[in-house]
Amino acid sequence: MLASHRNACKHMLTVWHRQYASSPATTKLFIDGKTRESQARQWIDLFNPATNELVTRVPQSTQDEMEQAVASSKEAYKSWKQTSVLTRQQVMLKYQALIRRDLKKIAANITEEQGKTLSDAEGDVIRGLQVVEHACSAGSLMQGETMPGVAKDMDTVSYRLPLGVTAGIAPFNFPAMIPLWMFPMALIAGNTSIIKPSEKDPGATMMLMELLNEAGCPPGVVNVIHGSQDAVNFICDHPDIRAISFVGSDKAGKHIYRRGCANGKRVQSNMGAKNHGVVLPDADKSTTIDQLAGAAFGAAGQRCMALSVAILVGDSQKWIPELVERARKLKVNAGHEPGADLGPVISPEAKERICRLVDSGIRQGANCVLDGRGIVVEKYPKGNFVGPTILTGVTANMECYKEEIFGPVLCVMAADTLEQAIEMINASPYGNGTAIFTSNGSSARQFVNEIDVGNVGVNVPIPVPLPMFSFTGSRGSFLGDCHFYGKQGLNFYTQTKTITSLWRKGQVTSKSSVSMPVMQ
């Protein structure tokens, strides 16, 4: 009887160990400079988009955990704001070197969790790294303004000062780049930061936090929480958070902007897009077709700056067969596989939505000249794959045009003239990005001057500005007063104090005056 009981206990222990070993890893919180296990009761399963195998479980951070994160950032701010600009700059100098060292590791994590190809994932990290490199010039960026002798014996000087605790809410499509648009600029200004990465791929942010520790950033200067709507609302409502940076969908962006502003916070909100590429007949055909295919289908179309609409002007409409052939040659595969041009989309739900919008376009009269909806990747039959898809004959009243598809789908429209193409783009509610392909400088100049879009490319298909400039999406693609990174990004994360000093030379006699002072 006793032996039987022992055997039963041994069997139960063996089963328990097997279950424990096979249970997925959990994504940790990052609070006060340390990773810690969440005490969450609700978890979000994260699946590899190429296999739909479980990778990790992401916690819905508890109220107490989120409060701890803010308290940690608030406490760290007391000393971080007092550090010299040189000290912050040195942290960023070390940080950029560490990110470059571990670039491939971070990219591999992005490919596993988000699905994009390894080369594209490396580009994701590099474009974020460039913002960190720009932040290394903190000594110049943080300079204020001064004017001695602004009036008799009077000097004026203005300083840039930090705001306090800031927050960043990042999307799934750029797990490294977007967080790096946010907290490095906040930190060099003397702020602290709360980051909520996408619950769909938080791994890159967690790796960036480990490197931030290694760079010597003090505990609490950046904290990471996880979750979805409750975490977003917490950030919007918490009285100690002074500013919110957001990149993502229209619905979430409008909600965050309204709720954050209602609570007295600064908010910058980059939202949806419908980016048009205008092709003139005088453009270099081969180069333009390559650029259209790369900008439309790269990253499986999951870029806020993807060229999802091509407006072919005049005789360039004859290039459609060659565009189809170029797109057909793109290789769809798991992102880590050699030679893959585009990987899967983020989830089965995203794939279903993409296919539904393509269906709606066909029902409303568009022609599907290249159909990637039924693609099967032999080695990964359970993956969320959609191949390059091209719809021609698209008009502005179609759902596939009005909605941001966020997949590898190119809508092709026709225009007789450049003026007509400009009118079509300006009639769209979005203003994130656009591009013109031409060999005519006069046409390019007309386009640049007349188009109502924030980021414009001339023979540049994805005109995301480098970080010494700002990302300037406009109209329905952005809410707020100051854009991301560059000078506007620093303006967003700082406030200005202006000091006017009067030191009279020699003995001065004066009398009281109740009139408005007029400087002489």
Side-chain angles (χ1 to χ4, degrees):
M1 184 95 172
L2 184 59
S4 173
H5 178 72
R6 284 174 179 164
N7 287 337
C9 289
K10 185 177 180 180
H11 173 72
M12 288 174 65
L13 190 60
T14 301
V15 170
W16 183 84
H17 275 300
R18 190 184 302 128
Q19 289 175 341
Y20 181 81
S22 63
S23 62
T26 56
T27 297
K28 307 299 188 285
L29 303 169
F30 185 79
I31 298 176
D32 217 24
K34 298 176 183 176
T35 57
R36 63 166 76 167
E37 193 72 58
S38 174
Q39 300 303 307
R41 295 184 178 180
Q42 294 180 306
W43 297 76
I44 301 165
D45 290 341
L46 189 159
F47 298 93
N48 182 322
T51 63
N52 272 305
E53 294 174 351
L54 187 61
V55 174
T56 184
R57 302 183 72 217
V58 182
Q60 298 262 27
S61 298
T62 67
Q63 182 73 19
D64 184 58
E65 288 166 347
M66 293 188 289
E67 290 285 359
Q68 289 175 36
V70 175
S72 173
S73 284
K74 186 178 180 181
E75 182 63 27
Y77 175 66
K78 295 176 183 177
S79 55
W80 182 248
K81 70 177 180 180
Q82 300 295 342
T83 57
S84 69
V85 172
L86 280 176
T87 297
R88 299 175 213 153
Q89 180 176 279
Q90 287 160 6
V91 170
M92 288 298 143
L93 284 164
K94 294 174 186 174
Y95 193 41
Q96 61 83 27
L98 293 168
I99 294 172
R100 192 170 292 281
R101 183 196 71 188
D102 286 3
L103 190 152
K104 290 188 181 296
K105 291 180 183 178
I106 300 169
N109 174 271
I110 291 171
T111 296
E112 181 182 32
E113 293 189 354
Q114 199 271 350
K116 62 177 68 177
T117 65
L118 281 171
S119 62
D120 194 34
E122 288 183 17
D124 185 333
V125 182
I126 290 169
R127 288 309 298 260
L129 172 60
Q130 289 169 345
V131 177
V132 180
E133 290 172 337
H134 184 57
C136 292
S137 59
S140 299
L141 294 173
M142 285 297 292
Q143 288 180 7
E145 298 174 314
T146 182
M147 181 174 286
V150 67
K152 183 174 174 55
D153 296 331
M154 183 177 287
D155 308 316
T156 299
V157 59
S158 70
Y159 303 142
R160 286 186 182 273
L161 297 172
L163 302 175
V165 180
T166 64
I169 302 170
F172 77 84
N173 56 329
F174 286 98
M177 183 181 79
I178 301 299
L180 290 172
W181 280 13
M182 297 172 177
F183 67 83
M185 296 301 289
L187 264 56
I188 63 161
N191 301 288
T192 55
S193 187
I194 306 287
I195 295 293
K196 193 207 83 66
S198 171
E199 65 277 14
K200 296 175 182 177
D201 47 16
T205 294
M206 298 306 295
M207 295 176 79
L208 290 170
M209 292 303 106
E210 293 173 9
L211 298 183
L212 196 61
N213 267 356
E214 192 175 344
C217 188
V221 171
V222 183
N223 292 293
V224 177
I225 61 174
H226 301 291
S228 51
Q229 188 173 346
D230 287 347
V232 167
N233 288 338
F234 171 86
I235 288 170
C236 291
D237 295 344
H238 201 288
D240 289 331
I241 295 175
R242 297 286 308 279
I244 304 171
S245 299
F246 169 80
V247 177
S249 69
D250 277 2
K251 183 178 179 182
K254 290 175 182 176
H255 169 78
I256 290 165
Y257 184 78
R258 286 194 296 262
R259 190 158 178 161
C261 289
N263 285 309
K265 305 181 192 306
R266 291 187 184 183
V267 183
Q268 53 179 186
S269 181
N270 269 9
M271 303 181 296
K274 201 73 176 181
N275 307 310
H276 303 71
V278 175
V279 181
L280 299 189
D282 58 32
D284 181 283
K285 182 194 288 189
S286 177
T287 301
T288 299
I289 288 172
D290 284 345
Q291 289 181 319
L292 281 177
F297 306 122
Q302 297 175 123
R303 292 173 176 151
C304 63
M305 286 289 281
L307 275 187
S308 55
V309 182
I311 302 179
L312 306 184
V313 179
D315 286 345
S316 68
Q317 294 164 37
K318 298 175 182 177
W319 301 359
I320 290 175
E322 290 155 285
L323 175 60
V324 170
E325 283 309 303
R326 180 67 187 88
R328 199 190 305 275
K329 291 177 182 177
L330 293 173
K331 186 175 180 181
V332 181
N333 207 340
H336 67 278
E337 293 286 358
D341 293 308
L342 59 152
V345 296
I346 189 68
S347 67
E349 294 77 18
K351 177 179 178 178
E352 187 279 328
R353 181 178 180 275
I354 293 163
C355 293
R356 177 177 60 77
L357 287 168
V358 172
D359 290 342
S360 75
I362 296 169
R363 286 197 309 271
Q364 291 178 316
N367 302 308
C368 190
V369 295
L370 181 62
D371 192 347
R373 290 173 293 173
I375 193 169
V376 175
V377 178
E378 259 185 53
K379 195 173 173 183
Y380 303 96
K382 296 181 180 179
N384 310 318
F385 294 101
V386 181
T389 299
I390 299 177
L391 297 175
T392 62
V394 173
T395 57
N397 64 322
M398 293 181 180
E399 186 184 10
C400 65
Y401 176 77
K402 291 187 287 186
E403 292 286 328
E404 184 178 23
I405 298 176
F406 225 60
V409 181
L410 179 64
C411 295
V412 179
M413 306 175 80
D416 295 327
T417 64
L418 173 58
E419 289 76 13
Q420 184 185 358
I422 291 171
E423 287 178 9
M424 292 163 68
I425 297 171
N426 288 345
S428 166
Y430 294 112
N432 212 40
T434 188
I436 185 170
F437 302 92
T438 181
S439 61
N440 186 301
S442 176
S443 297
R445 190 171 189 277
Q446 179 185 353
F447 183 79
V448 168
N449 288 336
E450 296 181 11
I451 206 70
D452 190 8
V453 174
N455 298 296
V456 182
V458 177
N459 297 319
V460 176
I462 303 178
V464 177
L466 287 167
M468 59 285 295
F469 296 92
S470 298
F471 185 94
T472 51
S474 62
R475 295 196 285 144
S477 297
F478 180 75
L479 287 171
D481 297 316
C482 294
H483 290 280
F484 282 80
Y485 60 80
K487 290 180 181 177
Q488 292 196 41
L490 198 63
N491 287 342
F492 179 78
Y493 286 119
T494 56
Q495 55 191 330
T496 305
K497 179 181 286 187
T498 304
I499 299 94
T500 303
S501 303
L502 175 64
W503 296 101
R504 292 295 189 198
K505 184 178 180 181
Q507 192 166 355
V508 177
T509 58
S510 63
K511 61 179 180 178
S512 299
S513 174
V514 294
S515 300
M516 182 68 184
V518 178
M519 309 305 183
Q520 299 293 334

